[in-house]
Amino acid sequence: MFGNPLYPTYQTFLSLGIAAIVAAVLMPLWIRILRFEGIGQQVRADGPQRHLVKQGTPTMGGVVILIAIVITCVLMAEPTTELLLVVGATVVTGLLGLIDDVTSVTHGRSLGLTPHAKMIGLTLICVTFCFIAVNFCGVLPQVRFPGGFIIDLSGLMTAFQIGDRAYYIPWIYMAFTWLVIAGFSNAVNLTDGLDGLAGGTSMIAMLIMAAIAFLCNDSNLSIFSASCAGACLGFLWFNCYPASIFMGDTGSLALGTAFACMGLVTNTEVASLIIGGLFIIEALSVMVQVVSFKLTGKRVFLMAPIHHHFEKLGWAETKVVIRFWIVAAAFGALGLGLFFQLG
């Protein structure tokens, strides 16, 4: 709707600004609605004691983040199959997170949906995404590495025909897709534990993905990634310490899925693992903590995820957040550099 398609960089930066403005304008109204309804965050009883003051802070800010992303894409991008796929996967995952948030609030506890129910929902999203990506978007069931090395994941392919068209289900690649999407959505969810942490690191990661999509000559996906980054930027105005609102699972699961889907549709999964390195570290810290405690009865970290470990060491919350932003930016730069080495 806006911008000359001959200037995709202009469209990308304008998309970032539009999403940021939409999020910043709508967020105060959403906060007032949540406060009026008495909808607030349930804080973990076993978490850092300083977090107890956050009890009751409005949550589900991810609703506005998703609205900002959708509005921006409608205004700025062409409705290509690839764009509709990543937007659809992001919104549906956000709805799954919204159910989780609502369940948490209505039951008055810090946990919403059971892990089993959440994984069933994510699995359905991953299977649908993979099928559409391979059959309608031309995504190749393979993983590219630096130097032109490629691992083909098209083994165990099932083909069937409907009418005049053949469709394919690459089972190995579908499992890989599940690992990437479910992994990153949960990793960003685990990262969302301090004011501004998930919002800032997601903004950085999606800015890098916008650059990669632009270099892959897909301006629509670049607009989508920029809109995700812009929505996070607008959200951060209200989520910086002390937060007036949290994104909740609505936002964290959706942003993790958006990031993972961008890596898959651009066939830059390896680079995305580096770009999202901070998210992976957060998830691994929880896994290491659980395994260590079950096997030895001892904890590796003072508390997991790892950002709480540094809080327990005495770091101020803002110091942890800003230093994690720096680490995320470093991972982003390394991942972007690795992108240029992909075959």
Side-chain angles (χ1 to χ4, degrees):
M1 180 176 178
F2 295 109
N4 190 324
L6 296 177
Y7 300 99
T9 50
Y10 164 74
Q11 290 180 304
T12 299
F13 282 110
L14 184 58
S15 298
L16 188 150
I18 290 175
I21 292 172
V22 171
V25 169
L26 294 181
M27 200 66 72
L29 174 61
W30 183 234
I31 292 174
R32 286 197 293 271
I33 292 174
L34 293 173
R35 285 177 175 166
F36 179 79
E37 297 294 336
I39 298 175
Q41 177 70 30
Q42 302 298 316
V43 178
R44 288 173 55 181
D46 61 341
Q49 292 300 301
R50 71 180 77 171
H51 286 199
L52 294 179
V53 298
K54 301 181 181 183
Q55 180 79 17
T57 300
T59 186
M60 292 187 283
V63 170
V64 173
I65 292 176
L66 289 173
I67 291 174
I69 292 170
V70 172
I71 289 176
T72 304
C73 288
V74 169
L75 291 176
M76 297 299 300
E78 296 294 328
T80 61
T81 306
E82 293 80 4
L83 177 68
L84 293 175
L85 177 60
V86 295
V87 171
T90 300
V91 171
V92 172
T93 309
L95 291 176
L96 178 66
L98 180 61
I99 295 173
D100 189 45
D101 287 333
V102 171
T103 303
S104 174
V105 171
T106 55
H107 287 78
R109 55 178 185 167
S110 62
L111 300 175
L113 291 175
T114 64
H116 183 68
K118 190 181 297 184
M119 289 311 299
I120 289 176
L122 283 174
T123 299
L124 292 174
I125 293 169
C126 294
V127 169
T128 304
F129 174 88
C130 180
F131 181 80
I132 296 175
V134 171
N135 290 282
F136 295 94
C137 299
V139 173
L140 299 175
Q142 57 184 220
V143 181
R144 295 188 299 156
F145 290 85
F149 180 69
I150 296 175
I151 294 181
D152 187 6
L153 298 179
S154 60
L156 297 179
M157 180 90 73
T158 298
F160 61 95
Q161 192 158 337
I162 299 179
D164 297 329
R165 176 160 184 174
Y167 298 90
Y168 304 92
I169 301 177
W171 296 104
I172 296 178
Y173 185 69
M174 186 170 286
F176 174 75
T177 299
W178 180 85
L179 286 173
V180 174
I181 296 178
F184 271 118
S185 61
N186 281 289
V188 175
N189 182 242
L190 290 170
T191 305
D192 185 29
L194 301 179
D195 297 353
L197 181 55
T201 52
S202 294
M203 178 184 67
I204 293 168
M206 294 309 294
L207 280 174
I208 299 297
M209 295 310 296
I212 287 178
F214 179 81
L215 293 169
C216 291
N217 297 315
D218 195 322
S219 60
N220 292 297
L221 292 180
S222 182
I223 287 170
F224 167 75
S225 297
S227 68
C228 290
C232 289
L233 182 63
F235 169 73
L236 280 173
W237 182 268
F238 305 92
N239 184 240
C240 61
Y241 182 85
S244 300
I245 189 171
F246 303 131
M247 68 169 63
D249 284 13
T250 309
S252 59
L253 290 179
L255 289 171
T257 295
F259 176 75
C261 289
M262 282 299 302
L264 290 164
V265 295
T266 57
N267 273 135
T268 56
E269 298 91 348
V270 174
S272 69
L273 291 177
I274 304 301
I275 297 168
L278 179 68
F279 303 137
I280 294 175
I281 290 174
E282 291 273 17
L284 286 177
S285 69
V286 174
M287 295 169 64
V288 169
Q289 187 87 322
V290 172
V291 171
S292 174
F293 187 76
K294 286 186 176 182
L295 294 179
T296 67
K298 298 180 180 179
R299 293 179 172 85
V300 175
F301 305 103
L302 296 177
M303 185 177 178
I306 196 170
H307 54 258
H308 289 317
H309 171 78
F310 290 104
E311 275 196 295
K312 291 284 189 177
L313 287 176
W315 290 20
E317 182 171 346
T318 51
K319 176 177 286 189
V320 177
V321 170
I322 293 175
R323 286 183 172 176
F324 274 44
W325 285 358
I326 294 171
V327 173
F331 274 123
L334 289 173
L336 184 60
L338 180 63
F339 164 77
F340 290 100
Q341 301 301 318
L342 297 175

